[in-house]
Amino acid sequence: MTTTPEPDASAHPGSEPDPDPTDAPAPRVRRFWAVRRIPAAVLAAVVLGGTGLLLYDVAAVRADRPAMAWRRKLADGLATRPLDDVAVVVGAAVAVVLGLWLLILAATPGLRGILPMRREHTDVRAGLDRKAAAFTLRDRVMEVSGVQSVRVRVGRAKVAVRAVSHFRALDEVRADVETVLATGVDELGLAHPPARTVRVARPPRKEGKAK
């Protein structure tokens, strides 16, 4: 009876084992960008209307017709009004604020209410609503013994928990809440786990009615 020896990987220094798919780097997770259809539609309508009206007036002047009254008035005002006039300053301020607002909309992602989740596959993106995350963590914290009520606020980088305990030592309740909160945040599958702050206090005392 003959046996065939198994090939030894060390006998072939040029061969390498197949890479483990779990060792592949996780895809980079970025925040979701808002579509902002309403600001884009309003801006497009304003620009289109103003451009169309101006082109119509220019074409009318080229056809030996008088210019519109608003354009003559605007040209006269720009030529005669000083730069420190109230109307000029207000108009310039409005234009600057509008331009800054448009730049902020173009440079920021928006959708602050959606937290990006970890990407297990490169072609799948998932997000979790902050209110849904707060409700989930609140239900988990309410399961801790001694917790009477709890308020959970989930931000983009921080989770704040304020619990009220009507029995048990506050240090014990706080430790249990921190443990449950850490587990709950990890189970949410967020790409950037937020920091956690926990505050536990006694319920306010009810003052007795005066006799």
Side-chain angles (χ1 to χ4, degrees):
M1 180 177 181
T2 59
T3 59
T4 304
E6 296 181 357
D8 188 4
S10 60
H12 303 279
S15 62
E16 297 181 357
D18 295 336
D20 189 356
T22 58
D23 296 337
R28 186 177 180 182
V29 179
R30 297 182 179 180
R31 291 177 56 189
F32 290 87
W33 281 76
V35 181
R36 296 190 176 99
R37 292 187 178 92
I38 295 179
V42 172
L43 179 61
V46 171
V47 172
L48 182 61
T51 304
L53 187 62
L54 181 61
L55 290 177
Y56 173 80
D57 190 52
V58 171
V61 172
R62 293 293 184 180
D64 297 333
R65 294 184 179 180
M68 292 184 179
W70 66 269
R71 197 158 73 95
R72 294 197 304 267
K73 186 177 180 180
L74 179 62
D76 294 340
L78 293 176
T80 57
R81 286 180 182 272
L83 295 179
D84 58 352
D85 187 75
V86 177
V88 176
V89 174
V90 172
V94 171
V96 170
V97 171
L98 181 60
L100 290 177
W101 178 60
L102 294 176
L103 288 176
I104 292 174
L105 289 180
T108 55
L111 293 181
R112 300 173 61 89
I114 299 180
L115 301 174
M117 302 178 66
R118 290 192 294 265
R119 299 185 65 177
E120 302 295 339
H121 305 280
T122 57
D123 54 347
V124 177
R125 293 189 64 190
L128 181 63
D129 185 76
R130 285 165 52 180
K131 293 182 179 180
F135 288 144
T136 302
L137 296 177
R138 177 184 177 276
D139 292 341
R140 295 294 300 272
V141 175
M142 284 297 297
E143 297 176 357
V144 176
S145 177
V147 174
Q148 182 181 14
S149 62
V150 62
R151 295 178 59 184
V152 179
R153 183 178 180 182
V154 178
R156 291 191 298 111
K158 185 178 180 180
V159 175
V161 176
R162 293 184 179 183
V164 175
S165 176
H166 57 296
F167 70 93
R168 295 183 66 196
L170 294 182
D171 293 339
E172 296 179 359
V173 176
R174 184 182 298 106
D176 292 345
V177 170
E178 290 177 349
T179 302
V180 170
L181 184 62
T183 304
V185 170
D186 183 68
E187 291 177 351
L188 292 178
L190 300 178
H192 308 287
R196 301 178 297 272
T197 59
V198 178
R199 294 182 181 180
V200 181
R202 293 297 186 192
R205 295 181 179 179
K206 297 182 179 179
E207 297 181 359
K209 297 182 179 179
K211 296 182 179 180

PDB file of all heavy atoms in Angstrom, residues 104-142:
ATOM      1  N   ILE A 104     -22.545  76.962   1.649  1.00  0.00           N
ATOM      2  CA  ILE A 104     -22.655  75.984   2.737  1.00  0.00           C
ATOM      3  C   ILE A 104     -23.449  74.770   2.287  1.00  0.00           C
ATOM      4  O   ILE A 104     -23.089  73.621   2.576  1.00  0.00           O
ATOM      5  CB  ILE A 104     -23.299  76.644   3.968  1.00  0.00           C
ATOM      6  CG1 ILE A 104     -22.341  77.683   4.562  1.00  0.00           C
ATOM      7  CG2 ILE A 104     -23.653  75.597   5.019  1.00  0.00           C
ATOM      8  CD1 ILE A 104     -22.947  78.485   5.696  1.00  0.00           C
ATOM      9  N   LEU A 105     -24.539  74.997   1.561  1.00  0.00           N
ATOM     10  CA  LEU A 105     -25.326  73.874   1.054  1.00  0.00           C
ATOM     11  C   LEU A 105     -24.526  73.014   0.086  1.00  0.00           C
ATOM     12  O   LEU A 105     -24.684  71.791   0.047  1.00  0.00           O
ATOM     13  CB  LEU A 105     -26.591  74.390   0.364  1.00  0.00           C
ATOM     14  CG  LEU A 105     -27.682  74.988   1.257  1.00  0.00           C
ATOM     15  CD1 LEU A 105     -28.852  75.443   0.411  1.00  0.00           C
ATOM     16  CD2 LEU A 105     -28.142  73.986   2.307  1.00  0.00           C
ATOM     17  N   ALA A 106     -23.665  73.657  -0.702  1.00  0.00           N
ATOM     18  CA  ALA A 106     -22.884  72.897  -1.680  1.00  0.00           C
ATOM     19  C   ALA A 106     -21.723  72.149  -1.044  1.00  0.00           C
ATOM     20  O   ALA A 106     -21.297  71.114  -1.559  1.00  0.00           O
ATOM     21  CB  ALA A 106     -22.355  73.840  -2.767  1.00  0.00           C
ATOM     22  N   ALA A 107     -21.189  72.642   0.092  1.00  0.00           N
ATOM     23  CA  ALA A 107     -19.983  72.051   0.683  1.00  0.00           C
ATOM     24  C   ALA A 107     -20.270  71.091   1.829  1.00  0.00           C
ATOM     25  O   ALA A 107     -19.365  70.366   2.247  1.00  0.00           O
ATOM     26  CB  ALA A 107     -19.048  73.155   1.180  1.00  0.00           C
ATOM     27  N   THR A 108     -21.488  71.088   2.350  1.00  0.00           N
ATOM     28  CA  THR A 108     -21.807  70.220   3.482  1.00  0.00           C
ATOM     29  C   THR A 108     -22.721  69.086   3.033  1.00  0.00           C
ATOM     30  O   THR A 108     -23.557  69.267   2.154  1.00  0.00           O
ATOM     31  CB  THR A 108     -22.493  71.015   4.602  1.00  0.00           C
ATOM     32  OG1 THR A 108     -23.648  71.692   4.077  1.00  0.00           O
ATOM     33  CG2 THR A 108     -21.532  72.051   5.169  1.00  0.00           C
ATOM     34  N   PRO A 109     -22.585  67.906   3.650  1.00  0.00           N
ATOM     35  CA  PRO A 109     -23.394  66.760   3.224  1.00  0.00           C
ATOM     36  C   PRO A 109     -24.845  66.836   3.640  1.00  0.00           C
ATOM     37  O   PRO A 109     -25.728  66.351   2.941  1.00  0.00           O
ATOM     38  CB  PRO A 109     -22.696  65.567   3.880  1.00  0.00           C
ATOM     39  CG  PRO A 109     -21.993  66.146   5.057  1.00  0.00           C
ATOM     40  CD  PRO A 109     -21.601  67.538   4.668  1.00  0.00           C
ATOM     41  N   GLY A 110     -25.127  67.442   4.792  1.00  0.00           N
ATOM     42  CA  GLY A 110     -26.513  67.454   5.265  1.00  0.00           C
ATOM     43  C   GLY A 110     -26.930  66.098   5.802  1.00  0.00           C
ATOM     44  O   GLY A 110     -26.094  65.251   6.148  1.00  0.00           O
ATOM     45  N   LEU A 111     -28.241  65.872   5.868  1.00  0.00           N
ATOM     46  CA  LEU A 111     -28.790  64.616   6.401  1.00  0.00           C
ATOM     47  C   LEU A 111     -28.170  64.278   7.753  1.00  0.00           C
ATOM     48  O   LEU A 111     -27.652  63.184   7.987  1.00  0.00           O
ATOM     49  CB  LEU A 111     -28.572  63.460   5.415  1.00  0.00           C
ATOM     50  CG  LEU A 111     -29.343  63.547   4.093  1.00  0.00           C
ATOM     51  CD1 LEU A 111     -29.052  62.328   3.244  1.00  0.00           C
ATOM     52  CD2 LEU A 111     -30.836  63.666   4.341  1.00  0.00           C
ATOM     53  N   ARG A 112     -28.236  65.238   8.673  1.00  0.00           N
ATOM     54  CA  ARG A 112     -27.649  65.045   9.992  1.00  0.00           C
ATOM     55  C   ARG A 112     -28.412  64.009  10.803  1.00  0.00           C
ATOM     56  O   ARG A 112     -27.898  63.499  11.803  1.00  0.00           O
ATOM     57  CB  ARG A 112     -27.621  66.382  10.743  1.00  0.00           C
ATOM     58  CG  ARG A 112     -26.813  67.463  10.054  1.00  0.00           C
ATOM     59  CD  ARG A 112     -26.965  68.789  10.773  1.00  0.00           C
ATOM     60  NE  ARG A 112     -26.497  68.727  12.128  1.00  0.00           N
ATOM     61  CZ  ARG A 112     -25.243  68.973  12.510  1.00  0.00           C
ATOM     62  NH1 ARG A 112     -24.341  69.292  11.597  1.00  0.00           N
ATOM     63  NH2 ARG A 112     -24.886  68.912  13.778  1.00  0.00           N
ATOM     64  N   GLY A 113     -29.635  63.703  10.415  1.00  0.00           N
ATOM     65  CA  GLY A 113     -30.435  62.747  11.166  1.00  0.00           C
ATOM     66  C   GLY A 113     -30.149  61.297  10.839  1.00  0.00           C
ATOM     67  O   GLY A 113     -30.744  60.409  11.456  1.00  0.00           O
ATOM     68  N   ILE A 114     -29.246  61.021   9.909  1.00  0.00           N
ATOM     69  CA  ILE A 114     -28.921  59.644   9.515  1.00  0.00           C
ATOM     70  C   ILE A 114     -27.475  59.351   9.876  1.00  0.00           C
ATOM     71  O   ILE A 114     -26.565  60.072   9.465  1.00  0.00           O
ATOM     72  CB  ILE A 114     -29.157  59.423   8.016  1.00  0.00           C
ATOM     73  CG1 ILE A 114     -30.628  59.669   7.660  1.00  0.00           C
ATOM     74  CG2 ILE A 114     -28.746  58.019   7.607  1.00  0.00           C
ATOM     75  CD1 ILE A 114     -30.943  59.475   6.213  1.00  0.00           C
ATOM     76  N   LEU A 115     -27.273  58.285  10.630  1.00  0.00           N
ATOM     77  CA  LEU A 115     -25.932  57.858  11.019  1.00  0.00           C
ATOM     78  C   LEU A 115     -25.470  56.738  10.085  1.00  0.00           C
ATOM     79  O   LEU A 115     -26.180  55.734   9.927  1.00  0.00           O
ATOM     80  CB  LEU A 115     -25.936  57.355  12.464  1.00  0.00           C
ATOM     81  CG  LEU A 115     -26.387  58.359  13.528  1.00  0.00           C
ATOM     82  CD1 LEU A 115     -26.470  57.676  14.888  1.00  0.00           C
ATOM     83  CD2 LEU A 115     -25.446  59.547  13.586  1.00  0.00           C
ATOM     84  N   PRO A 116     -24.321  56.866   9.452  1.00  0.00           N
ATOM     85  CA  PRO A 116     -23.842  55.795   8.560  1.00  0.00           C
ATOM     86  C   PRO A 116     -23.462  54.553   9.348  1.00  0.00           C
ATOM     87  O   PRO A 116     -22.886  54.633  10.434  1.00  0.00           O
ATOM     88  CB  PRO A 116     -22.628  56.425   7.868  1.00  0.00           C
ATOM     89  CG  PRO A 116     -22.173  57.498   8.795  1.00  0.00           C
ATOM     90  CD  PRO A 116     -23.399  58.012   9.487  1.00  0.00           C
ATOM     91  N   MET A 117     -23.778  53.401   8.789  1.00  0.00           N
ATOM     92  CA  MET A 117     -23.475  52.123   9.420  1.00  0.00           C
ATOM     93  C   MET A 117     -22.264  51.475   8.746  1.00  0.00           C
ATOM     94  O   MET A 117     -21.841  51.893   7.666  1.00  0.00           O
ATOM     95  CB  MET A 117     -24.698  51.198   9.333  1.00  0.00           C
ATOM     96  CG  MET A 117     -25.946  51.781   9.972  1.00  0.00           C
ATOM     97  SD  MET A 117     -27.386  50.702   9.818  1.00  0.00           S
ATOM     98  CE  MET A 117     -26.868  49.301  10.824  1.00  0.00           C
ATOM     99  N   ARG A 118     -21.729  50.469   9.415  1.00  0.00           N
ATOM    100  CA  ARG A 118     -20.567  49.773   8.858  1.00  0.00           C
ATOM    101  C   ARG A 118     -20.933  49.092   7.546  1.00  0.00           C
ATOM    102  O   ARG A 118     -22.037  48.561   7.397  1.00  0.00           O
ATOM    103  CB  ARG A 118     -20.048  48.727   9.848  1.00  0.00           C
ATOM    104  CG  ARG A 118     -19.400  49.308  11.088  1.00  0.00           C
ATOM    105  CD  ARG A 118     -18.672  48.222  11.861  1.00  0.00           C
ATOM    106  NE  ARG A 118     -19.602  47.252  12.400  1.00  0.00           N
ATOM    107  CZ  ARG A 118     -20.106  47.286  13.632  1.00  0.00           C
ATOM    108  NH1 ARG A 118     -19.777  48.279  14.437  1.00  0.00           N
ATOM    109  NH2 ARG A 118     -20.938  46.352  14.044  1.00  0.00           N
ATOM    110  N   ARG A 119     -19.992  49.117   6.614  1.00  0.00           N
ATOM    111  CA  ARG A 119     -20.211  48.528   5.296  1.00  0.00           C
ATOM    112  C   ARG A 119     -19.564  47.150   5.256  1.00  0.00           C
ATOM    113  O   ARG A 119     -18.332  47.016   5.262  1.00  0.00           O
ATOM    114  CB  ARG A 119     -19.638  49.424   4.207  1.00  0.00           C
ATOM    115  CG  ARG A 119     -20.276  50.815   4.148  1.00  0.00           C
ATOM    116  CD  ARG A 119     -19.757  51.620   2.989  1.00  0.00           C
ATOM    117  NE  ARG A 119     -20.130  51.033   1.713  1.00  0.00           N
ATOM    118  CZ  ARG A 119     -19.838  51.582   0.536  1.00  0.00           C
ATOM    119  NH1 ARG A 119     -19.175  52.729   0.494  1.00  0.00           N
ATOM    120  NH2 ARG A 119     -20.210  51.001  -0.582  1.00  0.00           N
ATOM    121  N   GLU A 120     -20.405  46.142   5.202  1.00  0.00           N
ATOM    122  CA  GLU A 120     -19.911  44.781   5.069  1.00  0.00           C
ATOM    123  C   GLU A 120     -19.629  44.436   3.613  1.00  0.00           C
ATOM    124  O   GLU A 120     -18.814  43.575   3.322  1.00  0.00           O
ATOM    125  CB  GLU A 120     -20.928  43.800   5.650  1.00  0.00           C
ATOM    126  CG  GLU A 120     -21.267  44.052   7.116  1.00  0.00           C
ATOM    127  CD  GLU A 120     -20.083  43.832   8.038  1.00  0.00           C
ATOM    128  OE1 GLU A 120     -19.154  43.117   7.621  1.00  0.00           O
ATOM    129  OE2 GLU A 120     -20.083  44.366   9.170  1.00  0.00           O
ATOM    130  N   HIS A 121     -20.321  45.105   2.693  1.00  0.00           N
ATOM    131  CA  HIS A 121     -20.134  44.904   1.254  1.00  0.00           C
ATOM    132  C   HIS A 121     -19.911  46.267   0.607  1.00  0.00           C
ATOM    133  O   HIS A 121     -20.532  47.262   0.992  1.00  0.00           O
ATOM    134  CB  HIS A 121     -21.348  44.211   0.638  1.00  0.00           C
ATOM    135  CG  HIS A 121     -21.700  42.906   1.301  1.00  0.00           C
ATOM    136  ND1 HIS A 121     -21.034  41.734   1.032  1.00  0.00           N
ATOM    137  CD2 HIS A 121     -22.640  42.607   2.228  1.00  0.00           C
ATOM    138  CE1 HIS A 121     -21.546  40.759   1.758  1.00  0.00           C
ATOM    139  NE2 HIS A 121     -22.528  41.255   2.493  1.00  0.00           N
ATOM    140  N   THR A 122     -19.048  46.296  -0.386  1.00  0.00           N
ATOM    141  CA  THR A 122     -18.691  47.566  -1.007  1.00  0.00           C
ATOM    142  C   THR A 122     -19.841  48.195  -1.770  1.00  0.00           C
ATOM    143  O   THR A 122     -19.873  49.411  -1.957  1.00  0.00           O
ATOM    144  CB  THR A 122     -17.506  47.348  -1.967  1.00  0.00           C
ATOM    145  OG1 THR A 122     -17.864  46.340  -2.941  1.00  0.00           O
ATOM    146  CG2 THR A 122     -16.278  46.881  -1.201  1.00  0.00           C
ATOM    147  N   ASP A 123     -20.805  47.388  -2.238  1.00  0.00           N
ATOM    148  CA  ASP A 123     -21.893  47.923  -3.044  1.00  0.00           C
ATOM    149  C   ASP A 123     -23.167  48.148  -2.235  1.00  0.00           C
ATOM    150  O   ASP A 123     -24.225  48.394  -2.819  1.00  0.00           O
ATOM    151  CB  ASP A 123     -22.207  46.982  -4.219  1.00  0.00           C
ATOM    152  CG  ASP A 123     -22.488  45.559  -3.750  1.00  0.00           C
ATOM    153  OD1 ASP A 123     -22.201  45.253  -2.581  1.00  0.00           O
ATOM    154  OD2 ASP A 123     -22.995  44.758  -4.561  1.00  0.00           O
ATOM    155  N   VAL A 124     -23.093  48.083  -0.924  1.00  0.00           N
ATOM    156  CA  VAL A 124     -24.271  48.276  -0.073  1.00  0.00           C
ATOM    157  C   VAL A 124     -23.940  49.332   0.971  1.00  0.00           C
ATOM    158  O   VAL A 124     -22.930  49.241   1.665  1.00  0.00           O
ATOM    159  CB  VAL A 124     -24.693  46.967   0.624  1.00  0.00           C
ATOM    160  CG1 VAL A 124     -25.882  47.230   1.555  1.00  0.00           C
ATOM    161  CG2 VAL A 124     -25.060  45.919  -0.416  1.00  0.00           C
ATOM    162  N   ARG A 125     -24.812  50.341   1.052  1.00  0.00           N
ATOM    163  CA  ARG A 125     -24.677  51.383   2.071  1.00  0.00           C
ATOM    164  C   ARG A 125     -25.939  51.400   2.916  1.00  0.00           C
ATOM    165  O   ARG A 125     -27.048  51.301   2.391  1.00  0.00           O
ATOM    166  CB  ARG A 125     -24.464  52.756   1.439  1.00  0.00           C
ATOM    167  CG  ARG A 125     -23.152  52.925   0.710  1.00  0.00           C
ATOM    168  CD  ARG A 125     -22.961  54.374   0.323  1.00  0.00           C
ATOM    169  NE  ARG A 125     -22.858  55.222   1.498  1.00  0.00           N
ATOM    170  CZ  ARG A 125     -22.888  56.556   1.451  1.00  0.00           C
ATOM    171  NH1 ARG A 125     -23.080  57.163   0.297  1.00  0.00           N
ATOM    172  NH2 ARG A 125     -22.764  57.260   2.552  1.00  0.00           N
ATOM    173  N   ALA A 126     -25.764  51.551   4.202  1.00  0.00           N
ATOM    174  CA  ALA A 126     -26.898  51.553   5.118  1.00  0.00           C
ATOM    175  C   ALA A 126     -26.730  52.689   6.110  1.00  0.00           C
ATOM    176  O   ALA A 126     -25.609  53.080   6.466  1.00  0.00           O
ATOM    177  CB  ALA A 126     -27.011  50.214   5.851  1.00  0.00           C
ATOM    178  N   GLY A 127     -27.851  53.208   6.555  1.00  0.00           N
ATOM    179  CA  GLY A 127     -27.860  54.286   7.537  1.00  0.00           C
ATOM    180  C   GLY A 127     -28.955  54.056   8.558  1.00  0.00           C
ATOM    181  O   GLY A 127     -29.958  53.388   8.279  1.00  0.00           O
ATOM    182  N   LEU A 128     -28.769  54.617   9.728  1.00  0.00           N
ATOM    183  CA  LEU A 128     -29.719  54.453  10.829  1.00  0.00           C
ATOM    184  C   LEU A 128     -30.178  55.821  11.291  1.00  0.00           C
ATOM    185  O   LEU A 128     -29.360  56.718  11.532  1.00  0.00           O
ATOM    186  CB  LEU A 128     -29.069  53.695  11.990  1.00  0.00           C
ATOM    187  CG  LEU A 128     -29.954  53.423  13.208  1.00  0.00           C
ATOM    188  CD1 LEU A 128     -31.127  52.534  12.830  1.00  0.00           C
ATOM    189  CD2 LEU A 128     -29.135  52.794  14.321  1.00  0.00           C
ATOM    190  N   ASP A 129     -31.501  55.975  11.397  1.00  0.00           N
ATOM    191  CA  ASP A 129     -32.057  57.238  11.858  1.00  0.00           C
ATOM    192  C   ASP A 129     -31.700  57.455  13.328  1.00  0.00           C
ATOM    193  O   ASP A 129     -31.751  56.530  14.143  1.00  0.00           O
ATOM    194  CB  ASP A 129     -33.576  57.232  11.679  1.00  0.00           C
ATOM    195  CG  ASP A 129     -34.189  58.570  12.023  1.00  0.00           C
ATOM    196  OD1 ASP A 129     -34.080  59.502  11.208  1.00  0.00           O
ATOM    197  OD2 ASP A 129     -34.784  58.681  13.127  1.00  0.00           O
ATOM    198  N   ARG A 130     -31.345  58.685  13.679  1.00  0.00           N
ATOM    199  CA  ARG A 130     -30.929  58.977  15.046  1.00  0.00           C
ATOM    200  C   ARG A 130     -32.056  58.763  16.040  1.00  0.00           C
ATOM    201  O   ARG A 130     -31.832  58.295  17.161  1.00  0.00           O
ATOM    202  CB  ARG A 130     -30.402  60.403  15.123  1.00  0.00           C
ATOM    203  CG  ARG A 130     -29.019  60.571  14.526  1.00  0.00           C
ATOM    204  CD  ARG A 130     -28.658  62.022  14.276  1.00  0.00           C
ATOM    205  NE  ARG A 130     -28.853  62.854  15.451  1.00  0.00           N
ATOM    206  CZ  ARG A 130     -28.597  64.157  15.476  1.00  0.00           C
ATOM    207  NH1 ARG A 130     -28.147  64.749  14.374  1.00  0.00           N
ATOM    208  NH2 ARG A 130     -28.789  64.858  16.558  1.00  0.00           N
ATOM    209  N   LYS A 131     -33.288  59.073  15.668  1.00  0.00           N
ATOM    210  CA  LYS A 131     -34.410  58.870  16.573  1.00  0.00           C
ATOM    211  C   LYS A 131     -34.645  57.382  16.809  1.00  0.00           C
ATOM    212  O   LYS A 131     -34.930  56.960  17.941  1.00  0.00           O
ATOM    213  CB  LYS A 131     -35.672  59.521  16.009  1.00  0.00           C
ATOM    214  CG  LYS A 131     -35.607  61.042  15.951  1.00  0.00           C
ATOM    215  CD  LYS A 131     -36.911  61.616  15.438  1.00  0.00           C
ATOM    216  CE  LYS A 131     -36.860  63.139  15.400  1.00  0.00           C
ATOM    217  NZ  LYS A 131     -38.132  63.720  14.889  1.00  0.00           N
ATOM    218  N   ALA A 132     -34.523  56.573  15.747  1.00  0.00           N
ATOM    219  CA  ALA A 132     -34.676  55.132  15.914  1.00  0.00           C
ATOM    220  C   ALA A 132     -33.578  54.568  16.812  1.00  0.00           C
ATOM    221  O   ALA A 132     -33.832  53.687  17.641  1.00  0.00           O
ATOM    222  CB  ALA A 132     -34.658  54.447  14.547  1.00  0.00           C
ATOM    223  N   ALA A 133     -32.349  55.071  16.654  1.00  0.00           N
ATOM    224  CA  ALA A 133     -31.261  54.622  17.528  1.00  0.00           C
ATOM    225  C   ALA A 133     -31.532  55.010  18.977  1.00  0.00           C
ATOM    226  O   ALA A 133     -31.268  54.230  19.899  1.00  0.00           O
ATOM    227  CB  ALA A 133     -29.942  55.218  17.049  1.00  0.00           C
ATOM    228  N   ALA A 134     -32.066  56.216  19.185  1.00  0.00           N
ATOM    229  CA  ALA A 134     -32.377  56.649  20.550  1.00  0.00           C
ATOM    230  C   ALA A 134     -33.461  55.785  21.175  1.00  0.00           C
ATOM    231  O   ALA A 134     -33.371  55.401  22.346  1.00  0.00           O
ATOM    232  CB  ALA A 134     -32.797  58.119  20.542  1.00  0.00           C
ATOM    233  N   PHE A 135     -34.502  55.435  20.411  1.00  0.00           N
ATOM    234  CA  PHE A 135     -35.566  54.576  20.936  1.00  0.00           C
ATOM    235  C   PHE A 135     -35.022  53.183  21.286  1.00  0.00           C
ATOM    236  O   PHE A 135     -35.386  52.595  22.305  1.00  0.00           O
ATOM    237  CB  PHE A 135     -36.700  54.456  19.927  1.00  0.00           C
ATOM    238  CG  PHE A 135     -37.516  55.703  19.802  1.00  0.00           C
ATOM    239  CD1 PHE A 135     -38.032  56.104  18.569  1.00  0.00           C
ATOM    240  CD2 PHE A 135     -37.780  56.491  20.902  1.00  0.00           C
ATOM    241  CE1 PHE A 135     -38.782  57.258  18.454  1.00  0.00           C
ATOM    242  CE2 PHE A 135     -38.531  57.651  20.794  1.00  0.00           C
ATOM    243  CZ  PHE A 135     -39.029  58.041  19.567  1.00  0.00           C
ATOM    244  N   THR A 136     -34.140  52.657  20.428  1.00  0.00           N
ATOM    245  CA  THR A 136     -33.577  51.336  20.682  1.00  0.00           C
ATOM    246  C   THR A 136     -32.738  51.325  21.953  1.00  0.00           C
ATOM    247  O   THR A 136     -32.863  50.420  22.801  1.00  0.00           O
ATOM    248  CB  THR A 136     -32.727  50.891  19.483  1.00  0.00           C
ATOM    249  OG1 THR A 136     -33.538  50.877  18.305  1.00  0.00           O
ATOM    250  CG2 THR A 136     -32.157  49.505  19.709  1.00  0.00           C
ATOM    251  N   LEU A 137     -31.876  52.320  22.103  1.00  0.00           N
ATOM    252  CA  LEU A 137     -31.043  52.381  23.301  1.00  0.00           C
ATOM    253  C   LEU A 137     -31.883  52.654  24.543  1.00  0.00           C
ATOM    254  O   LEU A 137     -31.568  52.146  25.634  1.00  0.00           O
ATOM    255  CB  LEU A 137     -29.976  53.464  23.127  1.00  0.00           C
ATOM    256  CG  LEU A 137     -28.961  53.226  22.013  1.00  0.00           C
ATOM    257  CD1 LEU A 137     -28.007  54.397  21.905  1.00  0.00           C
ATOM    258  CD2 LEU A 137     -28.190  51.931  22.247  1.00  0.00           C
ATOM    259  N   ARG A 138     -32.946  53.427  24.403  1.00  0.00           N
ATOM    260  CA  ARG A 138     -33.812  53.688  25.551  1.00  0.00           C
ATOM    261  C   ARG A 138     -34.465  52.403  26.040  1.00  0.00           C
ATOM    262  O   ARG A 138     -34.546  52.152  27.252  1.00  0.00           O
ATOM    263  CB  ARG A 138     -34.876  54.713  25.167  1.00  0.00           C
ATOM    264  CG  ARG A 138     -35.870  55.006  26.277  1.00  0.00           C
ATOM    265  CD  ARG A 138     -36.957  55.952  25.800  1.00  0.00           C
ATOM    266  NE  ARG A 138     -37.942  56.184  26.849  1.00  0.00           N
ATOM    267  CZ  ARG A 138     -38.975  55.385  27.106  1.00  0.00           C
ATOM    268  NH1 ARG A 138     -39.149  54.288  26.366  1.00  0.00           N
ATOM    269  NH2 ARG A 138     -39.817  55.658  28.085  1.00  0.00           N
ATOM    270  N   ASP A 139     -34.937  51.574  25.117  1.00  0.00           N
ATOM    271  CA  ASP A 139     -35.548  50.311  25.518  1.00  0.00           C
ATOM    272  C   ASP A 139     -34.530  49.403  26.210  1.00  0.00           C
ATOM    273  O   ASP A 139     -34.884  48.679  27.154  1.00  0.00           O
ATOM    274  CB  ASP A 139     -36.132  49.608  24.295  1.00  0.00           C
ATOM    275  CG  ASP A 139     -37.324  50.356  23.708  1.00  0.00           C
ATOM    276  OD1 ASP A 139     -37.919  51.188  24.435  1.00  0.00           O
ATOM    277  OD2 ASP A 139     -37.653  50.118  22.524  1.00  0.00           O
ATOM    278  N   ARG A 140     -33.285  49.436  25.739  1.00  0.00           N
ATOM    279  CA  ARG A 140     -32.269  48.598  26.370  1.00  0.00           C
ATOM    280  C   ARG A 140     -31.970  49.079  27.789  1.00  0.00           C
ATOM    281  O   ARG A 140     -31.804  48.268  28.706  1.00  0.00           O
ATOM    282  CB  ARG A 140     -30.989  48.607  25.524  1.00  0.00           C
ATOM    283  CG  ARG A 140     -31.134  47.978  24.150  1.00  0.00           C
ATOM    284  CD  ARG A 140     -31.405  46.492  24.265  1.00  0.00           C
ATOM    285  NE  ARG A 140     -30.327  45.811  24.950  1.00  0.00           N
ATOM    286  CZ  ARG A 140     -29.241  45.317  24.351  1.00  0.00           C
ATOM    287  NH1 ARG A 140     -29.110  45.436  23.036  1.00  0.00           N
ATOM    288  NH2 ARG A 140     -28.307  44.700  25.037  1.00  0.00           N
ATOM    289  N   VAL A 141     -31.865  50.385  27.975  1.00  0.00           N
ATOM    290  CA  VAL A 141     -31.548  50.924  29.302  1.00  0.00           C
ATOM    291  C   VAL A 141     -32.704  50.713  30.271  1.00  0.00           C
ATOM    292  O   VAL A 141     -32.490  50.491  31.468  1.00  0.00           O
ATOM    293  CB  VAL A 141     -31.179  52.413  29.184  1.00  0.00           C
ATOM    294  CG1 VAL A 141     -30.956  53.036  30.562  1.00  0.00           C
ATOM    295  CG2 VAL A 141     -29.922  52.582  28.340  1.00  0.00           C
ATOM    296  N   MET A 142     -33.946  50.767  29.789  1.00  0.00           N
ATOM    297  CA  MET A 142     -35.089  50.559  30.662  1.00  0.00           C
ATOM    298  C   MET A 142     -35.120  49.153  31.246  1.00  0.00           C
ATOM    299  O   MET A 142     -35.804  48.907  32.243  1.00  0.00           O
ATOM    300  CB  MET A 142     -36.387  50.832  29.894  1.00  0.00           C
ATOM    301  CG  MET A 142     -36.691  52.300  29.685  1.00  0.00           C
ATOM    302  SD  MET A 142     -36.956  53.196  31.238  1.00  0.00           S
ATOM    303  CE  MET A 142     -38.405  52.361  31.868  1.00  0.00           C
TER     304      MET A 142
END
